[in-house]
Amino acid sequence: MVSAEIKNRISALREQLEYHNYRYYVLDAPEISDAEYDRLFRELQSLEQQYPELIIPSSPSQRVGGAALTEFTQITHTTPMLSLNNAFSEDEVVAFDRRVREASELSQVDYAVEPKFDGLAISLVYERGQFVMGATRGDGYVGEDVTANLRTIRAIPLLLATPNPPQRIEIRGEVLMLKADFAALNAYQREQGLKEFANPRNAAAGSLRQLDPRITATRGLHFFAYGVGQCEGVVLPSTHGEVMDLLMAWRIPVAHERAVVQGVEGLLAYYQRIGAQRDSLAFDIDGVVYKVNDLAMQQQIGYVARAPRFAIAHKFPAQEATTQLLDIDVQVGRTGAITPVARLAPVSVGGVTVTNATLHNEDEIRRKGVLIGDWVNVRRAGDVIPEIVSVVMSRRPSDAREFVMPTTCPVCGSHIVRLPDEAIARCTGGLFCPAQRKQALWHFASRRAMDIDGLGEKLVEQLVDENLVHSPADLYRLGLLSLVNLERMAEKSARNLLAAIEHSKRTTLARFIYALGIRHVGEQTAKDLARYYGTLEAMMAADELQLQQVPEVGEVVAKSIVQFFAEPHNLTVIEMLRAAGVCWDESAPPVIQNSAISGKVFVITGTLPTMSRDEAKAKIEAMGGKASGSVSKKTDFVLAGAEPGSKFIKAQELGITILDEAEFLSLINENQGEEDGQGY
Ligand code: D41
């Protein structure tokens, strides 16, 4: 016999887990850390393992279950899932409002308004409060039974939180993938050499159409409801807005951005407001949806063909567009990396004219199968560089030709070589190549390096083209006279620049190392090196094997550092910089090597309750640890705050220790004592 105590504990755990899902997915306001959620979850799992007779299908532990399917069963929707008509301009919205006013005989109409999620429409059936079946929209009449996959989505409650649920209710909404989860998924796909997804929508679709629900479960899909289909045994409120509130009370996620507005002015103001938020939302939207708020009025206005007359989607400019690839040029980077750049016939993507897209490298061009002359789909999301998503094969011109990597640098004429084990081709011109020289200077002056305010790309270009600056050391010899002679340079800006250059002389060893632009030595590695060696001389004296003793420095980085300092030219530049007065504090003690944190790799994810990620990062680094951006087998700890996303799931999969902020702080404090007197 199982004791009442155990039964009570199990049901309390289930209730708590459902409640915290609700806090997280519906309210977007978690109360506990993921680590704490995880602890509750594991406690439930272990109790259920001990007492399997107490397992019920609606238990939060039973989201992922059953075997992989061989195919999906077809489902006929009890009431068809209609489509929405689109409006692409204000005029079309004005016309929509006019039709609604005429049909309703009202002078001003109340509208329920919400974002248009760019996901997949689905329907969820709850019987007596239990989630029993979920299906894709399909053609609106017949969809596919994806119940097992939908059960793995934590945003979808397995039970409706109400003591008197309807006999049967069909809830409609969209399944989607958050932008952050999409980025993490693609990073993972790339690492594993798997195919990347073109956009969050495709990733969500691919994840929902998995025959094995265990895969769907790892993808962290989200769900938002937008309406109710067939419904028995409950009297629904009289407006759409109130129905959405009711769903939310049942713990079904609905759009936080939803509102009720008056008249066409209200619609257009809402469109502007959500449009301005578009890039900063956690998920992709492709417009907003307007619905007559009064449900009786909706029925009076009725339908045309398969779409309601009482609702319309007002679309945003698409973030994808089709255009022609006119040519592929190459650009030369700071370390000579040759990047192919697509030159496109100008096309408006999401309201911005796009003429270039990056192609990363030669292999990527082959992988995408792009030929010069092809029609291609281009995507621009937020402020990232536009990318070529795919080729429209049916429109391939007969004279489309393959891209051939040039053998000489378009800027300096030096040979371009691609080493056998590298994806990147490089110009061998080094600092002889003006393109590389410009970028090296720009990197040297950049914010995270020497931080010379006002020395941007354009100015560097002028300084190099006018032969005023060859190496970074020349910056410290610039005079007012030569600067004011430059085009578009007023005396005031020249003085400001000289002051910024002067100011940059006092720096840190880490910044200086980073500013040198040694291949493979990014900001983090520069910090690691500075911390380990304490002085530039000590670092320059190290050989490859010694360099590899530095945490996180491997063979490739060590080789690159040794090569850099073996170059007499680089030593001259360093000497000249120091002679010009560039200096840093070398007295700061190198950080402890022996704490439990030193050498450990942390990944920070989600929002921490009391400190920013940068603060947490600084604490980790001060203790000799390292903060990394992605979870892998090398990660020692994941520090998780609210809404941690897929990094958290990956950490769980890999069995990595997950800390909340409090646990992290106590780990730091425990080790603080060891800090004193360590070092070397
Ligand atoms: O966010 C959406 N994608 C969305 C889709 C929404 N917010 N509301 C919608 N409302 C409807 C009606 C008015 C027909 C119930 C919809 C859709 N339909 C819809 N999604 C896919 C096809 C139709």
Side-chain angles (χ1 to χ4, degrees):
M1 249 311 272
V2 184
S3 75
E5 204 179 327
I6 302 269
K7 285 185 181 167
N8 288 343
R9 181 64 189 153
I10 287 181
S11 65
L13 283 167
R14 286 175 183 157
E15 254 167 55
Q16 283 179 41
L17 287 163
E18 289 298 353
Y19 172 74
H20 291 300
N21 267 349
Y22 162 71
R23 297 286 316 191
Y24 190 98
Y25 289 103
V26 182
L27 300 184
D28 196 11
E31 269 179 3
I32 59 169
S33 70
D34 280 322
E36 182 59 24
Y37 182 94
D38 206 40
R39 244 197 303 278
L40 296 172
F41 193 87
R42 280 195 306 256
E43 187 185 340
L44 174 63
Q45 268 184 326
S46 95
L47 283 176
E48 286 180 343
Q49 217 159 30
Q50 279 173 270
Y51 307 99
E53 65 274 27
L54 297 184
I55 296 178
I56 51 169
S58 61
S59 172
S61 65
Q62 303 301 304
R63 285 187 173 269
V64 189
L69 304 171
T70 46
E71 59 173 5
F72 295 114
T73 315
Q74 300 224 310
I75 294 286
T76 304
H77 299 295
T78 30
T79 38
M81 292 180 77
L82 302 173
S83 55
L84 270 178
N85 285 328
N86 290 321
F88 293 96
S89 68
E90 290 200 356
D91 287 351
E92 289 173 86
V93 176
V94 170
F96 162 74
D97 175 63
R98 188 182 319 116
R99 287 194 303 272
V100 168
R101 280 188 292 113
E102 279 166 13
S104 65
E105 296 177 351
L106 288 172
S107 57
Q108 185 180 275
V109 179
D110 280 358
Y111 292 102
V113 293
E114 57 208 25
K116 184 171 187 301
F117 297 105
D118 197 5
L120 294 111
I122 56 147
S123 123
L124 306 171
V125 177
Y126 286 84
E127 283 176 359
R128 290 175 303 280
Q130 297 233 16
F131 174 53
V132 291
M133 204 273 298
T136 61
R137 176 174 179 275
D139 63 4
Y141 298 96
V142 178
E144 285 177 323
D145 182 342
V146 286
T147 311
N149 288 342
L150 292 171
R151 281 180 64 92
T152 71
I153 301 178
R154 269 171 53 187
I156 298 177
L158 298 176
L159 295 172
L160 295 180
T162 163
N164 34 25
Q167 186 63 24
R168 181 186 152 96
I169 187 166
E170 198 191 330
I171 292 164
R172 286 161 178 194
E174 298 258 329
V175 162
L176 49 88
M177 187 178 285
L178 300 186
K179 291 179 196 169
D181 292 326
F182 166 71
L185 172 61
N186 261 0
Y188 175 79
Q189 297 285 105
R190 196 155 50 231
E191 258 169 45
Q192 302 290 316
L194 301 170
K195 196 178 161 308
E196 289 178 48
F197 295 96
N199 52 49
R201 201 196 117 82
N202 288 7
S207 305
L208 195 60
R209 295 207 75 265
Q210 289 290 335
L211 290 164
D212 186 347
R214 280 170 302 187
I215 299 178
T216 314
T218 66
R219 299 285 173 85
L221 294 175
H222 208 314
F223 171 78
F224 286 105
Y226 62 68
V228 167
Q230 190 239 18
C231 177
E232 281 168 32
V234 67
V235 181
L236 290 179
S238 64
T239 64
H240 180 77
E242 290 165 306
V243 171
M244 292 295 107
D245 292 343
L246 179 64
L247 293 186
M248 182 150 163
W250 290 347
R251 299 187 176 173
I252 301 272
V254 294
H256 290 283
E257 297 77 11
R258 73 192 189 285
V260 175
V261 302
Q262 280 80 47
V264 69
E265 295 79 18
L267 297 181
L268 297 176
Y270 183 74
Y271 180 81
Q272 295 299 334
R273 180 153 76 79
I274 298 296
Q277 293 175 26
R278 186 181 188 186
D279 284 348
S280 60
L281 290 176
F283 39 79
D284 272 354
I285 59 174
D286 58 349
V288 289
V289 183
Y290 309 142
K291 298 171 186 175
V292 170
N293 196 28
D294 188 290
L295 296 178
M297 188 60 72
Q298 285 190 357
Q299 293 318 306
Q300 187 187 319
I301 298 169
Y303 304 82
V304 236
R306 296 178 51 198
R309 280 210 305 164
F310 57 78
I312 199 161
H314 189 183
K315 302 281 285 251
F316 291 136
Q319 285 186 315
E320 265 185 44
T322 308
T323 188
Q324 199 170 17
L325 174 60
L326 303 177
D327 205 351
I328 297 178
D329 288 348
V330 297
Q331 260 173 10
V332 190
R334 171 168 63 83
T335 56
I338 303 283
T339 313
V341 180
R343 303 291 175 210
L344 304 166
V347 62
S348 170
V349 188
V352 173
T353 303
V354 168
T355 52
N356 300 318
T358 117
L359 281 163
H360 302 292
N361 58 55
E362 237 179 319
D363 292 347
E364 165 139 331
I365 298 176
R366 310 268 175 263
R367 196 163 49 235
K368 291 201 162 136
V370 189
L371 300 187
I372 296 166
D374 266 337
W375 287 84
V376 291
N377 293 315
V378 180
R379 179 177 166 82
R380 188 193 71 92
D383 38 34
V384 303
I385 305 164
E387 275 201 300
I388 291 184
V389 176
S390 57
V391 177
V392 187
M393 291 304 285
S394 58
R395 287 178 80 175
R396 173 163 283 174
S398 55
D399 61 350
R401 62 195 161 87
E402 227 173 278
F403 165 74
V404 185
M405 182 58 86
T407 52
T408 58
C409 172
V411 178
C412 73
S414 305
H415 286 295
I416 287 178
V417 292
R418 181 174 164 189
L419 298 176
D421 53 347
E422 283 207 353
I424 307 285
R426 282 174 204 282
C427 160
T428 52
L431 290 179
F432 165 75
C433 175
Q436 291 187 52
R437 202 156 63 216
K438 284 175 189 170
Q439 306 229 19
L441 277 165
W442 186 55
H443 170 80
F444 181 84
S446 64
R447 195 167 56 82
R448 292 172 175 277
M450 299 299 280
D451 193 18
I452 304 179
D453 205 24
L455 189 54
E457 229 168 331
K458 279 270 167 317
L459 190 52
V460 166
E461 191 133 310
Q462 277 179 298
L463 293 171
V464 171
D465 290 342
E466 298 291 327
N467 266 324
L468 288 173
V469 172
H470 292 270
S471 87
D474 297 334
L475 289 172
Y476 296 94
R477 289 201 291 228
L478 283 172
L480 193 61
L481 208 60
S482 50
L483 282 180
V484 291
N485 279 332
L486 290 174
E487 226 172 289
R488 292 187 306 275
M489 175 66 84
E491 188 181 324
K492 181 143 194 311
S493 353
R495 284 190 193 282
N496 287 345
L497 178 64
L498 288 176
I501 292 173
E502 185 59 33
H503 184 73
S504 75
K505 285 181 181 173
R506 273 213 66 80
T507 186
T508 64
L509 178 56
R511 279 177 176 273
F512 186 77
I513 295 171
Y514 175 60
L516 290 174
I518 304 168
R519 238 178 102 190
H520 302 300
V521 178
E523 196 186 4
Q524 188 56 51
T525 309
K527 283 185 192 169
D528 293 345
L529 289 163
R531 188 175 298 131
Y532 190 88
Y533 286 107
T535 69
L536 185 65
E537 286 67 27
M539 174 185 160
M540 287 169 68
D543 63 21
E544 266 183 52
L545 280 178
Q546 289 166 332
L547 282 164
Q548 287 182 46
Q549 298 300 306
V550 181
E552 299 297 310
V553 171
E555 216 175 305
V556 178
V557 180
K559 199 183 218 92
S560 166
I561 295 169
V562 168
Q563 272 175 359
F564 183 90
F565 291 123
E567 196 73 56
H569 156 87
N570 290 332
L571 302 183
T572 313
V573 170
I574 291 171
E575 256 166 53
M576 280 162 54
L577 285 168
R578 299 194 86 165
V582 173
C583 62
W584 51 86
D585 199 356
E586 293 196 327
S587 63
V591 191
I592 11 84
Q593 300 290 316
N594 299 334
S595 81
I597 285 116
S598 82
K600 293 283 190 283
V601 181
F602 286 72
V603 172
I604 311 171
T605 175
T607 313
L608 300 171
T610 71
M611 59 179 137
S612 72
R613 292 195 206 198
D614 278 344
E615 281 166 330
K617 190 171 174 203
K619 280 192 197 297
I620 292 165
E621 287 173 356
M623 299 289 289
K626 211 183 114 89
S628 156
S630 60
V631 176
S632 73
K633 276 185 283 198
K634 290 188 189 150
T635 311
D636 297 295
F637 297 102
V638 167
L639 169 55
E643 290 204 64
S646 57
K647 286 181 193 170
F648 182 79
I649 295 164
K650 179 116 188 258
Q652 282 182 315
E653 280 170 17
L654 293 174
I656 291 163
T657 309
I658 296 169
L659 306 172
D660 62 20
E661 188 187 279
E663 291 166 328
F664 167 69
L665 288 173
S666 63
L667 181 70
I668 294 270
N669 291 334
E670 263 167 40
N671 285 281
Q672 209 103 64
E674 296 168 38
E675 198 166 353
D676 307 315
Q678 298 285 343
Y680 33 94

